[in-house]
């Protein structure tokens, strides 16, 4: 089982990255920090005569990576009660690539399992629930299995190490992916 971990944080060595790396440790995996890539925001041309224009950025390598992996692990901090900006740009671009005839992204996504890691403050286990629902709607739209999610408590880097429940769940996912 090949796991693609997509990190949405702009902070290096943050809590969501910590959990994601615990989850994929010792597995066949690829970790990508979305903030390290050049991803242009979507220019919505779905309803224009010419449709989407090619964009000179790093997004196509992400499409190829998604196609090559069995599990997609989305890890994001809870930013203003939603996903991070890099993660949102990542999903917005699906509007373009679900229509790109060079790829068969929608069909490929139906073969994947999605897992979500969200980290935030002490009330994150409640306040992140609408974000979990947003992920659910995204995965439902492309008929991708939403296998599981976790919400970890931690704001400052390293605080996640105090969330025993999140660490235990990360260990269970890790065993599942091996």
């Amino acid at each position: 089982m090949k796991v693609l971990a997509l990190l949405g944080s702009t902070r290096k060595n943050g809590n969501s990255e910590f959990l994601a790396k615990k989850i994929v440790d010792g597995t066949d995996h690829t970790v990508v920090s979305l903030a390290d890539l050049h991803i242009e925001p979507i220019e919505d041309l779905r309803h224009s005569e010419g449709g989407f224009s090619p964009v000179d950025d790093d997004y196509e390598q992400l499409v190829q990576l998604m196609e090559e992996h069995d599990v997609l692990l989305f890890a994001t901090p809870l930013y203003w009660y939603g996903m991070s900006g890099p993660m949102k740009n990542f999903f917005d671009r699906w509007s373009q690539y679900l229509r790109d005839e060079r790829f068969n992204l929608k069909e490929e996504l139906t073969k994947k399992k999605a897992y979500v890691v969200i980290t935030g403050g002490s009330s994150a286990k409640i306040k992140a629930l609408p974000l979990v629902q947003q992920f659910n709607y995204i995965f439902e739209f492309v008929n991708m299995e939403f296998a599981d999610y976790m919400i970890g408590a931690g704001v400052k880097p390293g605080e996640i190490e105090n969330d025993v429940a999140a660490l235990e769940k990360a260990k269970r996912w890790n065993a599942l992916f091996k």
Side-chain angles (χ1 to χ4, degrees):
M1 183 176 312
K2 291 179 70 175
V3 181
L4 175 61
L6 296 163
L7 308 178
S9 183
T10 57
R11 176 191 291 165
K12 296 292 180 205
N13 302 311
N15 294 310
S16 55
E17 179 179 344
F18 179 86
L19 281 177
K21 287 185 174 179
K22 284 274 189 206
I23 292 164
V24 299
D25 184 48
T27 68
D28 185 1
H29 70 275
T30 304
V31 176
V32 175
S33 173
L34 296 174
D36 290 343
L37 299 177
H38 173 70
I39 301 175
E40 289 290 326
I42 188 77
E43 182 180 356
D44 189 352
L45 299 171
R46 287 177 291 168
H47 306 292
S48 66
E49 188 175 314
F52 287 100
S53 303
V55 179
D56 185 23
D57 67 2
D58 297 327
Y59 200 83
E60 284 190 18
Q61 83 182 55
L62 291 171
V63 174
Q64 292 167 348
L65 283 171
M66 285 187 287
E67 289 178 339
E68 296 167 5
H69 290 77
D70 307 299
V71 171
L72 305 180
L73 173 67
F74 301 94
T76 182
L78 184 64
Y79 281 172
W80 290 103
Y81 312 104
M83 66 182 69
S84 67
M87 185 72 68
K88 183 67 168 83
N89 278 341
F90 168 82
F91 280 113
D92 284 351
R93 289 292 294 281
W94 278 14
S95 294
Q96 178 179 359
Y97 280 89
L98 290 172
R99 290 168 174 75
D100 192 319
E101 294 176 1
R102 296 172 301 149
F103 301 94
N104 198 4
L105 184 58
K106 192 161 186 177
E107 183 178 319
E108 285 298 316
L109 290 172
T110 66
K111 303 171 188 174
K112 313 299 177 192
K113 289 187 178 187
Y115 288 79
V116 172
V117 173
I118 303 167
T119 58
S122 61
S123 299
K125 292 185 190 307
I126 300 298
K127 293 181 178 178
L129 290 175
L131 178 55
V132 172
Q133 189 64 55
Q134 181 182 11
F135 276 108
N136 183 61
Y137 289 140
I138 291 167
F139 304 145
E140 196 175 84
F141 183 81
V142 295
N143 295 312
M144 181 167 48
E145 180 183 342
F146 187 6
D148 204 357
Y149 71 92
M150 78 169 68
I151 302 170
V155 178
K156 294 179 183 175
E159 286 183 351
I160 195 65
E161 294 183 61
N162 298 319
D163 187 338
V164 176
L167 295 174
E168 281 299 316
K169 193 165 197 176
K171 189 183 295 184
R172 287 193 307 272
W173 287 7
N174 178 266
L176 182 68
F177 297 157
K178 286 186 176 177

